[in-house]
Amino acid sequence: MAEGKEAEQVSTSDSDQADFIEPETPVEIKNSMLVTTDSYEHIDYQDLESPVYDSHPSGIIHAIVRSGSVEESTDTNDEELHTQCEESNEDASSNELSSKEISDVTEEVSKPEVPELNSAEFDEDDVQTPEWRNQKKHVFILSEAGKPVYSRHGTEDKLVTIMGVMQALVSFVHDNGKDALRCIIAGEHRFVFLVKDPLILVGVSRGQDSTQQVLLQLSYVYNQVLSVLTYSTLHRIFKQRRNYDLRRLLSGAEKFLDNLLNMFDSEPSFLLGAVECLPLDSVIRDMIAQSIVQHAKVKDLVFALILANNKLVTLVRMKKYYLHPMDLHLIINLVNASESFKAAESWTPICLPKFDSSGFLQAHISYLDESCQTCLLLLSVDRESFFTLSDCKNRIKDRLLKYNGLKAISDSLTRTSYSIQQCGISDLRHFLYKSRSTAQYTSPELEAPYLSQEEQERLFGLYHYLHHRIHTTARPLKILYSVGPHETLLGWITQGFELYAVFGPLVTKPAAIHAINRLLRWIKKEEDRLFILNSVTF
Amino acid sequence: METRKRAFLKVIILGDSGVGKTSLMNQYVNRRFSNEYKATIGADFLTRDVTVDNKLVTLQIWDTAGQERFASLGVAFYRGADCCVLVYDVTAPNTMDSLDAWRNEFLEQADPLHHDEFPFVVIGNKTDIQAKSEKNSVTQSWCSGKGNVSYFETSAKNGSRVEEAFQTVAQKALEQDTELTKEAYPSPIQLPQDNNKSHEGCSC
């Protein structure tokens, strides 16, 4: 991989560009069910620091819809693009602290003096074990007082000191001219800081993730905390007690954080800001959606959705309300991380921060089949509606049984996704295709040579690299053709889609371009099955 | 939603340079003393587990730099402390005079909810050199005038009364770590902003 970077070419010349004929947007719908933000640009520093969705927790959905639609129009607006670019350049320069500043900081905060002083104590410390140090990715949450809240690896009890140092670093930089500490690069480690009053989130990565990608992960972690507590509660607590030990309120929720981070490392949906749909015949999908519409027309029911194996089967929403992909990922994580929903119908409060960070929606969660693969979620603002929704669930289930909807879902699940062979394109090993207007993506199964865990991680690393190179704010690219020792990568962004394709190392550029064009035609042909194209409302 | 997790208590040590803040911490945490003086740069962190009221808690002790040129770790540094230890040197009366300034600095920067009730522990250090503080009575009355303040005279060198002093620190800190009042618990479901609007959407 590393050697590959040297051989890469960035196709920018006119002749190269001419080969990429932008097709008509393969998937075009006016009425999307998901808020279609361009997730990546959306979650940059400006967005993370923007007080908009924090300080106006209510009614935020309207703001999101607005910002989503505005963003698409700016794509064509050169002037605006230009200024954005300048901003991001500034961003980049202030982004990484000069090495001098860093050394100032490290001088200022002396390490726990001489290790010999307390070597006996440190032996037991997790921080000192090679296992702990060799973890690829650490994520820490601490309060602004420097009290540990969560650590992905190791127990927080043992990490009091390291979290203290982190708080001191953030505090020190903040005090020197109201600056913000964003990233420290030390050897092969990248320390990324996200300060979300009253919490400090720190990601430490040894992998290829870019600062922005780690930051995206941290903002997901933050939203997961909000999902359990709500923004209003989190702030009320720390306003009342700055010294509060948040682990008390989060106890039991650690598994959601763990699971989210694990999914993040293996599922491209987070990186792409998109969801994967279960491939289904559009007639059957419509039938499933209509079953919900007809049998769950209940006051205050905002969203109804069916998930199967982390994939979206259908989503029905109240008119005017949209689900943000980030919120949908939290819902998927909730279902994925919990075994208890399999035992009985559940009634769970969940805050969807992009929807409304000030309060809880109440989720009726149940599995529709014996094998617990097909999960129905009914999200309401009425917390007294459990029995009403339970009735709805039974009627929906009956209808789905009657019309073989559940069978269609389980059939699709046994087929898993689809083989790359079905696309009928030689040389193409794997791809991710995101439809930007629907915030959905599709991807074939992982096949040889990506069968082992290591190879899958390596492939995922390639996608991270490609995604980062294309979306880097300092120099965003439309097309990137990169020849590596084991694979050739091709990334292509248009207004309608993002495509990341992986070829064998010996493919030629014309062959790759030819393959991509054939792939796009195939996706166009299959789009009814791979994507949810029409948005259903109550 | 009580949990069995062990409480972390954040303790800040403040005082003029050379009064023995780092030595006290080392004596308490590592039971060691060194005659050599090294100025603390910025801050040191040490932790010690201690039992208070049959509860095991972890003291997260933040030793700070007394020298002004190093004391710039920022406002946020003091925030969220559960107890503050003010140290002076019994052989150097002027260091006692600074207690007021340190206390004010702490209250200003940490800005706890109720300034008058925030727990402080004052330690007159170096009783191995001079058994009794000349300023003992002055300090006593200073402490009683400030509300929630306890006073100890210790020696970081021979360890005299260090345990008792920090036991009180832990006790007072734990008192700060109280449960939340009801209002702070998660709010019941709120309708997403505008009830009418969502119903409009529903009815058509």
Side-chain angles (χ1 to χ4, degrees):
Chain A
M1 179 63 209
E3 314 91 84
K5 288 177 194 169
E6 282 140 41
E8 96 198 6
Q9 297 170 261
V10 179
S11 301
T12 45
S13 75
D14 286 346
S15 62
D16 275 344
Q17 296 252 354
D19 292 332
F20 292 88
I21 304 143
E22 198 167 321
E24 52 178 309
T25 319
V27 178
E28 201 163 7
I29 53 166
K30 286 194 183 113
N31 198 8
S32 166
M33 60 180 173
L34 294 171
V35 178
T36 56
T37 53
D38 216 339
S39 67
Y40 205 68
E41 286 95 310
H42 212 67
I43 302 161
D44 60 8
Y45 284 120
Q46 267 106 36
D47 182 58
L48 291 169
E49 278 161 14
S50 133
V52 175
Y53 94 78
D54 283 349
S55 58
H56 305 286
S58 301
I60 188 56
I61 196 67
H62 304 293
I64 292 168
V65 174
R66 260 202 312 281
S67 75
S69 57
V70 166
E71 192 148 33
E72 279 186 56
S73 67
T74 56
D75 270 3
T76 50
N77 189 336
D78 278 348
E79 210 172 50
E80 196 132 348
L81 267 184
H82 183 65
T83 51
Q84 271 183 353
C85 197
E86 271 181 358
E87 275 171 33
S88 55
N89 279 341
E90 275 174 27
D91 211 32
S93 59
S94 63
N95 197 337
E96 268 137 51
L97 283 169
S98 69
S99 54
K100 194 192 157 291
E101 275 174 88
I102 293 287
S103 62
D104 282 357
V105 174
T106 37
E107 260 173 51
E108 221 47 52
V109 181
S110 66
K111 295 199 184 79
E113 267 241 301
V114 204
E116 70 212 64
L117 268 176
N118 41 18
S119 53
E121 197 145 325
F122 263 54
D123 281 344
E124 302 157 23
D125 221 323
D126 288 357
V127 187
Q128 294 296 311
T129 67
E131 290 84 356
W132 192 85
R133 287 169 167 263
N134 286 333
Q135 294 288 353
K136 267 206 182 132
K137 218 182 264 171
H138 283 280
V139 172
F140 305 100
I141 309 176
L142 46 143
S143 73
E144 277 198 317
K147 289 196 179 185
V149 175
Y150 170 80
S151 168
R152 185 180 187 186
H153 305 290
T155 52
E156 317 88 55
D157 297 43
K158 301 287 173 69
L159 300 171
V160 179
T161 305
I162 198 169
M163 300 232 191
V165 174
M166 286 170 178
Q167 194 263 353
L169 287 169
V170 169
S171 165
F172 174 80
V173 174
H174 181 75
D175 236 47
N176 281 260
K178 298 287 166 206
D179 214 340
L181 180 59
R182 286 174 167 172
C183 179
I184 298 173
I185 294 167
E188 57 178 4
H189 285 94
R190 186 185 290 269
F191 297 71
V192 181
F193 294 80
L194 175 62
V195 180
K196 284 291 218 179
D197 172 52
L199 299 178
I200 298 170
L201 298 102
V202 186
V204 183
S205 172
R206 231 162 33 88
Q208 290 178 332
D209 314 62
S210 67
T211 303
Q212 288 207 336
Q213 284 164 352
V214 178
L215 210 53
L216 175 71
Q217 193 161 7
L218 294 178
S219 55
Y220 263 100
V221 169
Y222 174 69
N223 277 6
Q224 179 64 59
V225 172
L226 295 187
S227 171
V228 175
L229 295 176
T230 77
Y231 177 85
S232 358
T233 303
L234 183 66
H235 273 255
R236 208 149 353 112
I237 290 167
F238 280 97
K239 210 171 168 192
Q240 218 177 76
R241 310 203 168 281
R242 277 191 178 145
N243 59 343
Y244 190 70
D245 185 351
L246 195 63
R247 295 175 310 153
R248 289 182 191 180
L249 281 183
L250 285 181
S251 73
E254 299 90 342
K255 67 176 176 191
F256 297 116
L257 292 165
D258 292 340
N259 195 72
L260 178 76
L261 292 167
N262 291 339
M263 283 176 82
F264 213 100
D265 284 346
S266 59
E267 304 238 347
S269 52
F270 299 91
L271 183 66
L272 296 175
V275 287
E276 193 175 7
C277 300
L278 184 77
L280 271 184
D281 192 290
S282 65
V283 177
I284 293 171
R285 204 189 301 274
D286 282 347
M287 182 274 289
I288 295 171
Q290 286 308 319
S291 304
I292 295 177
V293 174
Q294 286 172 21
H295 295 289
K297 223 180 170 77
V298 176
K299 183 174 161 290
D300 289 334
L301 183 63
V302 191
F303 299 115
L305 57 151
I306 294 179
L307 299 174
N309 191 22
N310 298 336
K311 291 179 184 138
L312 187 63
V313 175
T314 190
L315 168 62
V316 183
R317 58 182 179 82
M318 200 184 255
K319 280 201 185 80
K320 288 185 186 166
Y321 291 100
Y322 298 86
L323 199 51
H324 193 283
M326 225 167 168
D327 284 344
L328 184 50
H329 288 148
L330 293 178
I331 294 173
I332 291 174
N333 184 48
L334 171 74
V335 173
N336 188 264
S338 314
E339 281 298 310
S340 56
F341 300 142
K342 293 180 178 171
E345 283 174 57
S346 306
W347 190 231
T348 306
I350 177 174
C351 168
L352 300 177
K354 291 282 192 184
F355 177 73
D356 187 340
S357 61
S358 72
F360 286 118
L361 284 171
Q362 201 70 35
H364 179 281
I365 304 173
S366 59
Y367 281 90
L368 299 176
D369 51 356
E370 288 296 312
S371 53
C372 290
Q373 287 184 305
T374 309
C375 185
L376 173 72
L377 293 106
L378 303 169
L379 283 85
S380 170
V381 289
D382 176 8
R383 60 172 169 170
E384 307 299 332
S385 60
F386 175 85
F387 293 104
T388 316
L389 295 178
S390 185
D391 287 347
C392 293
K393 173 237 161 183
N394 288 329
R395 287 201 299 271
I396 292 168
K397 185 177 172 179
D398 289 345
R399 196 181 136 111
L400 289 182
L401 282 170
K402 190 173 163 193
Y403 292 98
N404 289 325
L406 289 177
K407 176 147 191 325
I409 292 169
S410 73
D411 286 351
S412 178
L413 282 171
T414 32
R415 283 197 301 273
T416 56
S417 189
Y418 51 91
S419 162
I420 187 88
Q421 253 114 49
Q422 278 175 259
C423 314
I425 299 159
S426 57
D427 302 328
L428 184 63
R429 286 189 183 175
H430 197 259
F431 69 87
L432 304 175
Y433 173 95
K434 174 188 172 183
S435 151
R436 289 172 85 162
S437 59
T438 60
Q440 296 168 27
Y441 83 97
T442 186
S443 171
E445 285 166 54
L446 289 165
E447 290 173 71
Y450 308 112
L451 292 176
S452 70
Q453 174 88 16
E454 296 79 49
E455 280 300 300
Q456 286 178 5
E457 277 174 17
R458 202 175 59 78
L459 177 68
F460 210 57
L462 293 175
Y463 281 130
H464 267 90
Y465 167 72
L466 194 56
H467 188 273
H468 167 62
R469 284 295 310 271
I470 282 178
H471 290 276
T472 178
T473 44
R475 186 170 174 242
L477 302 172
K478 284 192 166 164
I479 300 162
L480 179 71
Y481 182 75
S482 167
V483 181
H486 305 296
E487 285 84 3
T488 293
L489 308 176
L490 180 60
W492 186 15
I493 309 298
T494 70
Q495 259 191 289
F497 65 83
E498 295 179 18
L499 178 64
Y500 308 89
V502 176
F503 294 92
L506 300 177
V507 75
T508 61
K509 202 191 285 179
I513 292 165
H514 181 67
I516 290 298
N517 286 325
R518 283 184 59 191
L519 176 62
L520 290 172
R521 281 199 295 276
W522 182 83
I523 291 171
K524 175 77 188 158
K525 189 162 69 68
E526 298 285 324
E527 66 179 0
D528 276 357
R529 198 171 60 87
L530 301 176
F531 298 101
I532 301 178
L533 299 176
N534 53 341
S535 167
V536 185
T537 56
F538 288 117
Chain B
M1 236 207 273
E2 186 61 55
T3 154
R4 285 196 199 108
K5 281 189 172 164
R6 188 189 302 175
F8 293 129
L9 301 172
K10 176 171 172 177
V11 176
I12 306 264
I13 306 186
L14 298 174
D16 286 356
S17 72
V19 297
K21 296 181 294 296
T22 306
S23 298
L24 271 171
M25 186 171 83
N26 271 328
Q27 176 59 249
Y28 179 62
V29 175
N30 303 311
R31 297 195 176 77
R32 278 177 212 214
F33 179 79
S34 160
N35 261 318
E36 200 182 327
Y37 172 69
K38 272 192 251 160
T40 304
I41 302 172
D44 276 349
F45 308 86
L46 283 180
T47 59
R48 188 179 144 176
D49 296 340
V50 58
T51 310
V52 185
D53 299 341
N54 293 322
K55 270 194 217 163
L56 192 61
V57 301
T58 301
L59 286 190
Q60 184 186 21
I61 307 172
W62 301 48
D63 176 26
T64 60
Q67 292 185 18
E68 219 163 277
R69 66 194 171 99
F70 294 131
S72 58
L73 275 177
V75 177
F77 189 74
Y78 295 153
R79 270 193 204 148
D82 295 290
C83 183
C84 178
V85 181
L86 302 174
V87 186
Y88 79 99
D89 178 350
V90 294
T91 67
N94 59 314
T95 60
M96 191 267 144
D97 300 332
S98 312
L99 292 184
D100 235 6
W102 284 113
R103 181 177 175 274
N104 288 338
E105 153 133 354
F106 176 84
L107 288 176
E108 193 186 308
Q109 298 212 359
D111 195 23
L113 211 53
H114 305 291
H115 282 209
D116 295 339
E117 291 164 28
F118 189 86
F120 287 89
V121 171
V122 171
I123 293 180
N125 191 33
K126 307 196 184 178
T127 53
D128 51 288
I129 301 174
Q130 189 177 319
K132 197 168 158 64
S133 172
E134 288 167 29
K135 292 236 172 179
N136 181 298
S137 58
V138 186
T139 316
Q140 295 278 13
S141 66
W142 185 86
C143 290
S144 53
K146 297 293 180 197
N148 193 3
V149 183
S150 305
Y151 178 51
F152 291 88
E153 289 182 5
T154 68
S155 163
K157 187 171 183 177
N158 62 29
S160 154
R161 300 212 73 202
V162 172
E163 278 293 327
E164 292 102 303
F166 277 94
Q167 191 65 33
T168 304
V169 169
Q171 179 86 46
K172 281 176 177 268
L174 190 62
E175 283 163 16
Q176 292 297 301
D177 189 47
T178 50
E179 278 305 306
L180 295 166
T181 56
K182 276 250 168 60
E183 303 88 72
Y185 278 107
S187 49
I189 313 148
Q190 291 165 17
L191 291 169
Q193 209 194 10
D194 187 336
N195 208 355
N196 292 332
K197 229 178 236 170
S198 63
H199 285 186
E200 265 172 42
C202 220
S203 59
C204 52

Coordinates of all heavy atoms in Angstrom, one line a residue, chain A residues 3-30:
Chain A
E3 N 3.9 1.6 -0.9 CA 4.7 1.8 -2.1 C 3.8 2.3 -3.2 O 4.2 2.9 -4.1 CB 5.4 0.5 -2.5 CG 6.1 -0.3 -1.5 CD 5.1 -1.3 -0.8 OE1 5.0 -2.4 -1.3 OE2 4.6 -0.9 0.3
G4 N 2.5 1.9 -3.1 CA 1.6 2.2 -4.1 C 1.4 3.6 -4.3 O 1.1 4.1 -5.5
K5 N 1.5 4.4 -3.3 CA 1.2 5.8 -3.4 C 2.2 6.5 -4.4 O 1.8 7.4 -5.0 CB 1.4 6.5 -2.0 CG 0.2 6.1 -1.1 CD 0.4 6.7 0.2 CE -0.6 6.0 1.2 NZ -0.3 6.4 2.6
E6 N 3.4 6.0 -4.4 CA 4.3 6.6 -5.3 C 4.0 6.5 -6.8 O 4.3 7.3 -7.6 CB 5.8 6.1 -5.0 CG 6.4 6.6 -3.8 CD 7.1 5.6 -3.0 OE1 7.8 4.8 -3.7 OE2 7.0 5.5 -1.8
A7 N 3.3 5.4 -7.0 CA 3.1 5.1 -8.4 C 1.7 5.7 -8.9 O 1.4 5.6 -10.0 CB 3.0 3.6 -8.6
E8 N 1.1 6.3 -8.0 CA -0.3 6.8 -8.4 C -0.2 7.9 -9.4 O 0.7 8.7 -9.5 CB -1.0 7.2 -7.2 CG -1.0 8.7 -7.0 CD -1.3 9.1 -5.6 OE1 -1.5 8.1 -4.7 OE2 -1.4 10.2 -5.3
Q9 N -1.3 8.0 -10.1 CA -1.4 9.1 -11.0 C -2.7 9.8 -10.7 O -3.7 9.2 -10.5 CB -1.5 8.6 -12.5 CG -0.3 7.9 -13.0 CD -0.7 7.2 -14.3 OE1 -1.0 6.1 -14.4 NE2 -0.6 8.0 -15.3
V10 N -2.7 11.1 -10.8 CA -3.9 11.8 -10.6 C -4.4 12.3 -12.0 O -3.6 13.0 -12.7 CB -3.8 13.0 -9.7 CG1 -5.1 13.7 -9.6 CG2 -3.3 12.5 -8.3
S11 N -5.5 11.8 -12.5 CA -5.9 12.1 -13.8 C -6.5 13.5 -13.8 O -7.6 13.7 -13.3 CB -7.0 11.2 -14.3 OG -6.4 9.9 -14.3
T12 N -5.8 14.4 -14.3 CA -6.3 15.8 -14.3 C -6.3 16.4 -15.8 O -7.0 17.4 -16.0 CB -5.5 16.7 -13.4 OG1 -4.2 16.5 -13.6 CG2 -5.9 16.5 -12.0
S13 N -5.5 15.8 -16.6 CA -5.4 16.3 -18.0 C -6.7 16.2 -18.7 O -7.6 15.3 -18.4 CB -4.3 15.6 -18.8 OG -4.8 14.4 -19.1
D14 N -7.0 17.0 -19.7 CA -8.2 17.1 -20.4 C -8.5 15.7 -21.1 O -9.6 15.2 -21.1 CB -8.2 18.2 -21.4 CG -8.4 19.5 -20.8 OD1 -8.8 19.5 -19.6 OD2 -8.2 20.5 -21.4
S15 N -7.5 15.2 -21.7 CA -7.7 13.9 -22.4 C -8.1 12.8 -21.5 O -9.0 12.1 -21.8 CB -6.4 13.5 -23.2 OG -5.4 13.3 -22.2
D16 N -7.5 12.8 -20.3 CA -8.0 11.8 -19.4 C -9.4 12.0 -19.0 O -10.2 11.0 -18.9 CB -7.1 11.8 -18.1 CG -5.8 11.0 -18.3 OD1 -5.8 10.2 -19.3 OD2 -4.9 11.2 -17.6
Q17 N -9.7 13.2 -18.7 CA -11.0 13.5 -18.2 C -12.1 13.2 -19.2 O -13.2 12.8 -18.9 CB -11.1 15.0 -17.9 CG -10.2 15.4 -16.7 CD -11.0 15.7 -15.5 OE1 -12.2 15.7 -15.5 NE2 -10.3 16.0 -14.4
A18 N -11.7 13.3 -20.5 CA -12.6 13.1 -21.5 C -13.1 11.6 -21.6 O -14.2 11.3 -22.0 CB -12.0 13.4 -22.9
D19 N -12.3 10.7 -21.0 CA -12.7 9.3 -21.0 C -13.9 9.1 -20.0 O -14.6 8.2 -20.2 CB -11.5 8.5 -20.5 CG -10.5 8.4 -21.6 OD1 -10.8 8.6 -22.8 OD2 -9.3 8.3 -21.2
F20 N -14.0 10.0 -19.1 CA -15.0 9.8 -18.1 C -16.2 10.6 -18.5 O -16.3 11.8 -18.3 CB -14.5 10.3 -16.7 CG -13.5 9.4 -16.1 CD1 -12.1 9.6 -16.4 CD2 -13.8 8.3 -15.3 CE1 -11.2 8.8 -15.9 CE2 -12.8 7.5 -14.8 CZ -11.5 7.7 -15.1
I21 N -17.1 9.9 -19.2 CA -18.3 10.6 -19.6 C -19.3 10.5 -18.5 O -19.7 9.3 -18.2 CB -18.8 10.0 -20.9 CG1 -17.7 10.1 -22.0 CG2 -20.1 10.8 -21.4 CD1 -17.7 8.9 -22.9
E22 N -19.7 11.6 -18.0 CA -20.6 11.5 -16.8 C -22.0 11.0 -17.3 O -22.6 11.6 -18.2 CB -20.8 12.9 -16.2 CG -21.4 12.8 -14.8 CD -21.2 14.1 -14.1 OE1 -20.1 14.7 -14.2 OE2 -22.1 14.4 -13.4
P23 N -22.4 9.9 -16.9 CA -23.7 9.4 -17.3 C -24.8 10.2 -16.7 O -24.6 11.0 -15.8 CB -23.8 8.0 -16.8 CG -22.9 8.0 -15.6 CD -21.9 9.1 -15.8
E24 N -26.0 10.0 -17.3 CA -27.1 10.7 -16.6 C -27.2 10.0 -15.2 O -26.9 8.9 -15.0 CB -28.4 10.4 -17.3 CG -28.6 8.9 -17.6 CD -29.9 8.7 -18.4 OE1 -31.0 9.1 -17.9 OE2 -29.9 8.0 -19.4
T25 N -27.5 10.9 -14.2 CA -27.6 10.4 -12.9 C -28.4 9.1 -12.8 O -29.5 9.1 -13.1 CB -28.2 11.4 -11.9 OG1 -27.7 12.7 -12.3 CG2 -27.9 11.1 -10.5
P26 N -27.7 8.0 -12.4 CA -28.4 6.7 -12.5 C -29.6 6.7 -11.6 O -30.6 6.1 -12.0 CB -27.4 5.7 -12.0 CG -26.1 6.4 -12.1 CD -26.4 7.9 -12.0
V27 N -29.5 7.2 -10.4 CA -30.6 7.2 -9.5 C -31.1 8.6 -9.3 O -30.4 9.4 -8.7 CB -30.3 6.5 -8.2 CG1 -31.4 6.5 -7.2 CG2 -29.7 5.1 -8.4
E28 N -32.3 8.9 -9.7 CA -32.7 10.2 -9.5 C -34.2 10.2 -9.0 O -35.1 9.7 -9.6 CB -32.7 11.0 -10.9 CG -32.7 12.5 -10.6 CD -32.2 13.2 -11.9 OE1 -32.1 12.6 -12.9 OE2 -32.0 14.4 -11.8
I29 N -34.3 10.8 -7.8 CA -35.6 10.8 -7.3 C -35.8 12.2 -6.7 O -34.8 12.8 -6.2 CB -35.9 9.7 -6.3 CG1 -34.8 9.8 -5.2 CG2 -36.0 8.4 -6.9 CD1 -35.2 9.0 -4.0
K30 N -37.0 12.7 -6.7 CA -37.2 14.0 -6.1 C -37.5 13.9 -4.6 O -37.1 14.7 -3.8 CB -38.4 14.6 -6.8 CG -38.0 15.1 -8.2 CD -39.0 16.0 -8.7 CE -38.7 16.5 -10.1 NZ -39.6 16.0 -11.1

